[in-house]
Amino acid sequence: MKALVFHGSGKSAWEDVADPGIQDATDAIVRVDAVTICGTDLHILKGDIPEVRPGTVLGHEAVGEVVEVGSDVRTVRPGDRVLVSCITACGRCRYCREGSYGQCRAGGGWILGHLIDGTQAEYVRVPHTDLSTYLLPGAVESKDAVLLADIFPTAYEVGVLNGRVRPADTVVVVGAGPIGLAAIATARFYTPQKIIAVDMAPARLDAAKRLGADAVALAGEESEQLVADLTEGLGADVVIEAVGVPASFEACTRMVRPGGHVANVGVHGKPATLHLEDLWIKNVTITTGLVDTYSTPTLLRMMAAGQLPTSSLVTHTFPMDAMEEAYEVFSRAADTGALKVVLGGPQHDALTIRTP
């Protein structure tokens, strides 16, 4: 099959690789019908996530059709159309039993496109299938559903819920990329008084307005002054960091009010300074996190009911074999206006499954 393979910092290629096979009784093989590119994939290519070894197939988000299942799989069968979650969950370890699937200690957590071959391929092996895939209603389009593999549950859980957004809050979202925009959309569930979006790209700020931001500002002193002006100098109740660079994290800690929350969602590849000399007295809560995807069933129901603006985030579509072009467009978002790119490729009629 064809897949997007990581070959070290700054290097990847769409090339021939071996078809995946069932390795464990809880595995499924899924033919990928739709896949997307995540900002985390760009971090991998920049060398920010050194655990990803050269030779790994990238990607952790997909929609596809089950073509083969292991003997212990109970919830799906060949022919089912499923969402492949970015998080794999064994369901039995301490963390999974607490619903913290992202911290699974039995071969789960974020492993696709990280520790094992991922979804940016024509086929993918999905471990722990029963808790790592979700059946999709026929009326739900693949290009919409694939956004629930990662960005919407991540924005909702790690940003909005960890940040404890409440009615009448002032919420600042720093970074108006796909995660930040999904945070704006899901923060609206809790009727905040105002949402302020901050980014360096005017086109993304325009998208933030369409998704429900009440005010926008370019990153820098302008944004910090705007937050101060709109809160009578107090600061925001909740600040969501959705970039993953030191400057944006440190700006978030300056914009939050005493007693407020900073919810870090961005993937950081470099150290950021925590200014405890300023923060120690302010009762500020700072949370970090990897998504657990416990909210995925709820978000799926909302999407099926037309309550999630998924389609508005997809700005570019490509055939699967245009993976390298799609990466180029997504990585130059400031120039191309890309928010979320979705790829779908030709389907094979048959797959040879190797037994372990």
Side-chain angles (χ1 to χ4, degrees), residues 49 70 72 84 93 98 120 133-134 156 201 208 212 223 239 242 270 276 348:
I49 305 175
D72 288 348
V84 177
C93 72
E98 295 174 353
Q120 289 170 5
T133 60
Y134 299 86
Y156 183 47
S223 61
V239 186
K270 296 180 180 179
L276 285 177
H348 291 177

Side-chain angles (χ1 to χ4, degrees), residues 252-278:
C252 289
T253 63
R254 293 192 295 268
M255 289 188 281
V256 69
R257 68 166 174 83
H261 292 76
V262 175
N264 184 86
V265 188
V267 177
H268 289 263
K270 296 180 180 179
T273 301
L274 181 62
H275 288 282
L276 285 177
E277 74 278 12
D278 298 323

Side-chain angles (χ1 to χ4, degrees), residues 71-216:
S71 59
D72 288 348
V73 174
R74 297 289 180 266
T75 59
V76 300
R77 59 187 180 184
D80 285 340
R81 181 167 164 263
V82 296
L83 171 70
V84 177
S85 177
C86 67
I87 296 297
T88 302
C90 77
R92 297 184 300 276
C93 72
R94 169 184 172 177
Y95 287 103
C96 284
R97 289 170 69 87
E98 295 174 353
S100 298
Y101 306 123
Q103 304 302 321
C104 176
R105 287 297 183 265
W110 174 37
I111 58 173
L112 291 171
H114 179 206
L115 305 179
I116 68 171
D117 286 339
T119 59
Q120 289 170 5
E122 294 176 312
Y123 293 88
V124 60
R125 179 179 72 91
V126 182
H128 301 302
T129 301
D130 284 344
L131 283 176
S132 308
T133 60
Y134 299 86
L135 287 168
L136 289 174
V140 173
E141 292 191 29
S142 296
K143 70 178 180 65
D144 295 329
V146 75
L147 302 192
L148 268 62
D150 185 354
I151 68 162
F152 269 93
T154 294
Y156 183 47
E157 295 174 21
V158 186
V160 175
L161 296 182
N162 280 4
R164 301 183 187 177
V165 175
R166 296 292 183 266
D169 275 355
T170 294
V171 179
V172 177
V173 178
V174 178
I179 291 286
L181 294 173
I184 291 169
T186 53
R188 304 301 308 180
F189 298 165
Y190 297 93
T191 60
Q193 181 180 15
K194 61 178 70 74
I195 298 176
I196 304 166
V198 177
D199 200 278
M200 297 178 64
R204 289 194 164 187
L205 294 178
D206 290 340
K209 290 179 184 177
R210 294 194 298 271
L211 267 292
D214 302 290
V216 300

